[in-house]
Amino acid sequence: MSKSMDRKIALIGGGGVRAPLVIFGVDEATEALGAKELVLYDPDQDRLAVMVALGRAIVAKSGGSLQLRAATSAEDAIDGAQFVMNSIRVGGIAGRAADEQASIEQGYPGQETTGPAGAAMALRTVPAALEQARLVERLSPDAWLVNFTNPAGLITQAVTSHTRAKMVGICDTPTELFHNIATALGEPLHDVHCDYVGLNHLGWVRGVRVRGVDVMDKLLASDELLRQLYLAPLFDFSMIRSLRLIPTEYLFFYYERRRALHNQQQQGGSRGAEIQQLNQILIDELKSRLNAGDGDGAVAAYAAYLNQRSGSYMKLEAEGGSAFDPGVSLNVDPFRTATGYHRIAIDVMSALTGARPATIVVNTRNRGALPDLPDDDIVETAARISLDSVVPEPIAPLPDEVRGLVHAVKAYERAAIEAAIGNQRLTARKALLIHPAIGEWTPSEALLRNMFGSVDADGECLCHGPMHGHPHR
C-alpha cells in the first residue's frame, strides 16, 4: 500500500452505535492513515444519516479535517477504498435480543457470540460477510478488510477460506485485559508483556513479564490484583490459580454457564434486550439534539451512552444487575480511552500503511504460529503488522488445560461455516452438537426452530425468515 494522503476508507454498518467512535479514531489519525474521506454505508438510511451528522459534530468539535459521506450503496462505499471496515449485525439488535431470549428459554445462557445465540449470529452473518468480501474482491482488490463483525474469529475464518479478500479480524478483549493487568500491577503498559493464546472470545494470558521479569506468580497469589482484572466478579480465584491461566471475560460463558443462566433468569432478560433499550433512548436523543442544531449536546449524549453501556458490561450475567442500576456508568472520556475497537482498528490500519508498524493481537491465519492448529485456521494471537503485512509471532503449544476446548470450538466454527454457506439445517444441528457450550443433540432442533423458524419439507433449510438482512450493529 503506497504512501498517500488522499485515501478513502469505508465503514460498512455505518448506522451502528460504534460508528462515531470509529469516525473519531480515523479523524484523529488522518496523517498516519493518509485518510481524506470516510464513507459510511448502512441499509437503514435514517440511522446512517444520524451517525453521519453526529460524526460531523465530533470532527468539528475536535477541529479535524476528515470528510464524511453517506454512501447510497455498499458498492458506492467500497469502490476505490483502501480500507474497508466491516461492522454489521444481521437482524439488528432486536435479532440479538430474540436469539438470547430463545437460548435462555431452552436452558442455555444467552450471549451474542457464544452458545446458541452465538451460533445463530454466525449462521446469519456468514453469507452477508462473504457477499461484502466479494464486493471488495471485485471493486477494491488491494484493500484490506478490517473485520469488527462478530463472531470475529469465525467470520474472519469464513472470509479468508472462501474469498481472496485480504482480511484481518480485530477485537479489543485481549488488549483490554492487558491494560487491566498493567493497571493492577501499577506498571505502564509498554513495560508489561502478556503471553496470550487462544481464539476470539476464547483466549487466556498464560504468562506476564514486567521489563523481562516474570510476575505471574505475584499476580496469581493476590486476590486484590486478580479482582482488578474484570469489571464484574466473573471467576473464582481458586479456578484461575488451578489453571495458571488468566481467562478473558467470555470464558465466563464456558466456565460459569449455570451461574450466567441463573442470573439472566432472575433478572428476567439479557444484555441484548438492555442494549436494545439503551440504543433506542440514544437514537431518540441524538435526533432531537441534532435537529435542534445542538451538535455538542449530541456528542455529550453519545459519550454518556457509552459510559453507561461500558460501565454495566457483564453486570447482568455475573451479578444479576442491570444497565439501568444507579451508579453503573463510568466517568471517563470514552473517545480517548486507551482501549476499544476504534483504537485497535486505527492501530492496525496505521501499521498496514507502514506509518506505525506494531505488534498487535489480531485474528489472522495461523501460518505455523500455533503448532496445535492447521496453518489456515484463524487464531487470535500477537502479530507483527507492517506495510501490507500481518505476520503472526510463533508461540508455544496450547496448555493441556485448554487444548481440547480450543480444538472443539474450531471444529464447531468449521461446521457452522459449512452450514451457513450451504443453508443446511442438519449441519447447523451438528455445529450445535459440537459446540462445547451446548453439546446436546435433542435441544438443537428446538433452538434452531425458535431462532430461525420451521423446517422445510426436505429438513435442510435454515429458514432465515424475518431476521434475514444486513442491518447495522
Side-chain angles (χ1 to χ4, degrees):
M1 191 173 289
S2 60
K3 184 172 176 59
S4 173
M5 290 305 295
D6 60 354
R7 289 192 178 104
K8 172 185 176 181
I9 298 176
L11 174 60
I12 307 300
V17 292
R18 283 180 180 159
L21 279 175
V22 174
I23 292 167
F24 174 84
V26 173
D27 178 59
E28 191 178 49
T30 50
E31 185 173 347
L33 297 174
K36 177 181 180 182
E37 179 184 44
L38 178 60
V39 181
L40 291 78
Y41 171 69
D42 198 289
D44 186 336
Q45 293 289 303
D46 182 56
R47 277 281 294 268
L48 181 61
V50 172
M51 293 305 161
V52 170
L54 177 60
R56 287 175 176 154
I58 289 168
V59 172
K61 186 175 177 66
S62 64
S65 61
L66 183 68
Q67 298 175 20
L68 295 179
R69 178 169 69 84
T72 56
S73 65
E75 290 87 346
D76 176 27
I78 291 168
D79 190 16
Q82 281 73 44
F83 290 104
V84 178
M85 292 176 282
N86 189 25
S87 181
I88 66 170
R89 184 185 295 283
V90 178
I93 191 65
R96 171 185 174 177
D99 287 343
E100 289 179 349
Q101 186 58 39
S103 183
I104 293 167
E105 288 173 358
Q106 290 295 318
Y108 300 91
Q111 203 282 323
E112 64 169 333
T113 63
T114 63
M121 186 183 208
L123 292 169
R124 287 196 182 94
T125 307
V126 165
L130 290 176
E131 179 182 327
Q132 290 163 2
R134 287 170 183 140
L135 285 178
V136 174
E137 277 186 314
R138 178 165 61 87
L139 299 172
S140 297
D142 294 328
W144 276 92
L145 249 172
V146 181
N147 181 59
F148 292 51
T149 298
N150 277 322
L154 188 151
I155 296 302
T156 306
Q157 183 81 58
V159 169
T160 55
S161 298
H162 295 278
T163 78
R164 296 184 304 278
K166 299 187 296 184
M167 176 179 271
V168 58
I170 62 170
C171 179
D172 63 344
T173 297
T175 304
E176 184 77 30
L177 182 56
F178 302 164
H179 275 268
N180 292 350
I181 289 171
T183 300
L185 292 169
E187 299 287 353
L189 180 64
H190 63 263
D191 284 340
V192 179
H193 175 79
C194 295
D195 178 7
Y196 179 83
V197 66
L199 310 177
N200 179 239
H201 290 186
L202 196 85
W204 300 262
V205 169
R206 58 181 170 185
V208 181
R209 297 193 303 276
V210 176
R211 292 179 290 277
V213 177
D214 189 334
V215 297
M216 190 68 169
D217 286 339
K218 172 185 176 181
L219 190 58
L220 293 176
S222 170
D223 286 2
E224 180 57 32
L225 293 179
L226 292 176
R227 193 172 291 116
Q228 296 178 59
L229 304 188
Y230 308 100
L231 192 60
L234 300 180
F235 304 110
D236 187 292
F237 299 153
S238 296
M239 184 204 76
I240 295 176
R241 291 177 183 124
S242 70
L243 291 174
R244 288 195 60 82
L245 298 167
I246 300 171
T248 54
E249 67 251 24
Y250 288 94
L251 267 299
F252 182 75
F253 297 99
Y254 294 87
Y255 293 155
E256 295 283 0
R257 291 198 295 277
R258 293 185 185 185
R259 184 173 143 212
L261 176 62
H262 172 77
N263 285 332
Q264 289 175 331
Q265 290 171 330
Q266 290 293 109
Q267 204 270 353
S270 73
R271 175 71 169 172
E274 290 199 336
I275 296 298
Q276 187 177 10
Q277 294 179 59
L278 286 173
N279 285 2
Q280 190 56 58
I281 293 167
L282 171 68
I283 296 302
D284 290 345
E285 183 166 6
L286 290 179
K287 285 181 177 179
S288 175
R289 290 186 178 275
L290 291 168
N291 288 338
D294 183 12
D296 286 352
V299 175
Y302 179 68
Y305 159 86
L306 291 175
N307 276 331
Q308 184 178 4
R309 178 169 174 162
S310 297
S312 59
Y313 183 61
M314 296 292 286
K315 295 288 188 183
L316 190 158
E317 298 89 347
E319 301 175 299
S322 169
F324 299 98
D325 288 342
V328 299
S329 293
L330 301 178
N331 185 26
V332 300
D333 180 348
F335 293 102
R336 293 178 171 80
T337 55
T339 60
Y341 276 86
H342 66 302
R343 291 293 179 200
I344 306 296
I346 299 310
D347 288 347
V348 168
M349 292 190 295
S350 297
L352 286 169
T353 66
R356 300 173 184 169
T359 299
I360 305 170
V361 173
V362 293
N363 288 269
T364 189
R365 278 197 177 102
N366 184 29
R367 295 167 61 183
L370 180 62
D372 304 83
L373 293 174
D375 287 355
D376 286 342
D377 271 359
I378 296 298
V379 295
E380 189 168 77
T381 191
R384 184 62 183 171
I385 306 177
S386 56
L387 180 63
D388 267 330
S389 173
V390 179
V391 180
E393 296 187 335
I395 55 176
L398 290 164
D400 286 346
E401 293 82 357
V402 303
R403 184 177 296 113
L405 182 55
V406 169
H407 279 279
V409 170
K410 285 309 296 187
Y412 148 74
E413 288 184 356
R414 296 185 195 103
I417 292 167
E418 179 186 352
I421 291 173
N423 202 30
Q424 296 174 342
R425 198 180 190 94
L426 190 61
T427 307
R429 291 189 69 185
K430 180 178 77 171
L432 298 185
L433 176 68
I434 293 170
H435 198 311
I438 306 170
E440 297 178 276
W441 179 256
T442 299
S444 66
E445 177 53 40
L447 285 165
L448 289 178
R449 182 174 62 249
N450 288 353
M451 293 186 287
F452 287 96
S454 301
V455 186
D456 277 4
D458 62 4
E460 290 296 310
C461 179
L462 285 177
C463 308
H464 291 280
M467 294 302 177
H468 190 58
H470 309 171
H472 45 255
R473 296 212 44 163

